[in-house]
Amino acid sequence: MNFYKIWLRNISVFFLICSSFVSFAVVAQVDTFQFDKAENQERFRNLSNELRCPMCQNTSLSGSSGGVAEDLRREIYLMIKEGQTDREIKDFMFERYGDFIFYKPRLTVGTIFLWVGPAFFLLIGGCVGFSVFRSAQSLTLKNKTLTDSDQNKIESLLTREEQNLKIKGKTS
Amino acid sequence: MLGYEMLKRLLPISAFFSFIAALAVGLFLENKDLPSVLVGKQVPSFSLKTIDGSLVTNNDLPGEIFLLNVWGSYCLPCLIEHPTFMSLTERGEIPVVGINYRDELNLADDWLKENGDPFLFSIADPSGRFGIDLGVYGAPETYLVDAEGIIRYRHVSVLNDSVWREVFLPLVKSLRTPKIALVGM
C-alpha cells in the first residue's frame, strides 16, 4: 500500500515536470513581453503567429529566435502599447517586407491565384466528376429502356432461336 | 492525323502535366531573390548617430549613386565581402555607406580597425530599428541608391567581386548614362 502511494506520487511529479516543460517550450518566444490587458496579450500572440520571420522564412515571428524576428516582435509590442490597431501594424509590416511577411497573403493581382486557385481546381474537378457521373448514368439508363424497334429485334431474334432449337430437336 | 477525339483526350493530360511542371519550377525557386518592397522608393528618413558618434540624416548621404551596406562585426559573410568594398573605395569607383546592424559600438570599432574602413560613415543601428524601415532580413545586405536617394536594387548576402561586376556594374552604368546625356544636351 505504502509502495503504491510513493509510486503514484513519483509518477504525478514526473508528469507535472513534463507538462511544465511543454508549456514553457510553447510560449518561450512569445511571452517575453507582458501586457496589462489580456486582450492585448492575445493580439500580440495572434500577430506574431500570423507574421512570418523574413530571415528564416518557414517559421512565424513567434517561433523564431532570429535577429529580425526579435526586433519585429518588439516593434509589435511597442505598437500595441501605443494603441495601434492590428490593421495598422500589418500595414506597417507590409510597407517594409511586402506580401512575404504574411502567412495569409493579401488579395492582390499577384496573389489572386493563391486565393482563387483551390476553388478553381475544385470547380474543374467537380465538372469532370459530374460529366463522368452523367455519362455513366445515361449508359445504364440506355440499357434499361430499349426503344420499340430494339425490343422487336430482340423478340424476333429470340423466336428465331426458339424455332431453330425446335427444328434441331425434331431432326435429332 | 490529330482528330478531334484525340485532341479531347490529350488536352486534359497535357494540362495536367503542364501544371505539374509549373509546380516543379515553383518548388525550386530561390526565395532569397525576392525583390525588396523598398526598390523604387526613397531611403527611409533617419536621424541617427554614426559609430563615431556624429549625427547624420538623409542630407548626409552622397549626392551621387552609392552603396548602402548592412554589416556587423559578428557577421562572417561580411568579412568575406569586405575586401570588395575596400577595393571599390580605394579605386574610387563608388561611395559606400555602412549600416552597423544590431552590433555593439566597441566591437564594430575594433572590427573596422582590424579589417579597414571602406565606409564614408557607418550608421549605428544597435536595435535594428532602422533595419526594419529598410526591410532588412539580416547582414549582409547591400542596397544600390541613386543620386536622388531612391533605392534601385537590393542584394541579399555576400557581394563579392563577381557580383559587383555582373550585377551591380551594369546597373550603375545604366543609372549613370542618362545623366551624362542630359548634361550633353
Side-chain angles (χ1 to χ4, degrees), chain A residues 146-164:
Chain A
L146 292 165
T147 55
D148 286 349
S149 62
D150 283 342
Q151 196 68 43
N152 290 340
K153 258 187 213 165
I154 288 173
E155 267 158 27
S156 66
L157 278 170
L158 279 173
T159 47
R160 202 188 293 165
E161 194 63 20
E162 265 170 34
Q163 279 168 353
N164 282 347

Side-chain angles (χ1 to χ4, degrees), chain A residues 57 68 71 75 96-97 100, chain B residues 34 102 129 133 136-137:
Chain A
Q57 305 206 340
V68 200
D71 293 351
E75 215 49 42
R96 286 154 182 78
Y97 290 95
F100 194 76
Chain B
L34 281 171
R102 294 174 56 90
R129 184 59 187 79
D133 282 344
V136 167
Y137 289 12

Side-chain angles (χ1 to χ4, degrees), chain A residues 54-55 57 66-68 70-72 74-75 92 94-100 113 121, chain B residues 19 31-32 34 36-38 41 101-102 127-129 131-138:
Chain A
M55 190 169 62
Q57 305 206 340
V68 200
E70 205 180 294
D71 293 351
L72 291 178
R74 184 196 59 219
E75 215 49 42
F92 173 90
F94 180 73
E95 277 162 26
R96 286 154 182 78
Y97 290 95
D99 275 318
F100 194 76
F113 186 72
F121 285 116
Chain B
F19 179 64
N31 272 351
K32 273 192 173 171
L34 281 171
S36 165
V37 190
L38 270 288
K41 291 186 184 153
Y101 180 67
R102 294 174 56 90
S127 66
R129 184 59 187 79
I132 292 177
D133 282 344
L134 262 176
V136 167
Y137 289 12

Side-chain angles (χ1 to χ4, degrees), chain B residues 104-183:
Chain B
E104 285 169 39
L105 282 184
N106 55 333
L107 294 178
D109 213 35
D110 290 348
W111 195 84
L112 288 180
K113 273 183 189 134
E114 203 176 312
N115 304 302
D117 186 354
F119 305 112
L120 209 60
F121 53 85
S122 276
I123 302 164
D125 184 24
S127 66
R129 184 59 187 79
F130 185 49
I132 292 177
D133 282 344
L134 262 176
V136 167
Y137 289 12
E141 266 177 44
T142 306
Y143 296 77
L144 181 68
V145 186
D146 71 11
E148 280 74 43
I150 295 167
I151 296 167
R152 293 297 184 170
Y153 184 72
R154 188 260 298 265
H155 177 77
V156 177
S157 89
V158 175
L159 195 167
N160 52 25
D161 286 344
S162 70
V163 172
W164 167 253
R165 265 197 320 272
E166 283 151 31
V167 182
F168 277 83
L169 208 52
L171 280 171
V172 171
K173 274 181 181 162
S174 73
L175 283 173
R176 275 176 182 163
T177 17
K179 256 200 146 181
I180 295 162
L182 275 176
V183 170

